[in-house]
Amino acid sequence: MLFMVEMDVNIPLGFDADEAARLKAAEKARFQELQAAGTWRHIWRVVGRYANVSIFDVADNAALHDLLTTLPLFPFMTMRVTALCRHPSSAHDDDR
């Protein structure tokens, strides 16, 4: 199943800078792992915000929830999830 996930990151002011840097590096590594596996199919930065719009390809809602909770920055994120399905006019065969 495909899901669009809008993620806003809000690390509190005064949060330890070294710990924030460590979490950001861990987040990038986890993203790259999921991208290589084909699970995190797309990511776009939202201009002017510490936010992104991403497309995930997972088995179901529970799998997406389990995956999202593994993200190192998860405690600092507000997310909006939208389930997607292939549009009949799509020219791409891999839109499932």
Side-chain angles (χ1 to χ4, degrees):
M1 292 183 69
L2 295 178
F3 293 91
M4 177 181 69
V5 181
E6 299 170 73
M7 301 179 200
D8 284 280
V9 181
N10 186 17
I11 299 174
L13 292 174
F15 190 80
D16 182 77
D18 291 337
E19 179 63 6
R22 187 193 69 75
L23 287 171
K24 290 175 186 179
E27 183 84 12
K28 182 177 181 178
R30 180 68 175 132
F31 160 72
Q32 290 174 336
E33 173 187 321
L34 293 168
Q35 188 178 37
T39 306
W40 198 327
R41 289 183 52 176
H42 302 282
I43 187 170
W44 294 273
R45 176 177 284 162
V46 178
V47 175
R49 295 181 11 221
Y50 191 179
N52 72 73
V53 175
S54 294
I55 304 296
F56 288 86
D57 189 356
V58 294
D60 54 32
N61 296 344
L64 179 64
H65 177 80
D66 291 345
L67 180 153
L68 294 174
T69 61
T70 69
L71 299 177
L73 290 173
F74 176 78
F76 305 105
M77 291 182 180
T78 301
M79 298 185 197
R80 188 170 129 196
V81 177
T82 304
L84 303 172
C85 64
R86 186 178 190 283
H87 193 284
S89 296
S90 176
H92 301 284
D93 292 333
D94 67 340
D95 294 341
R96 9 184 187 117

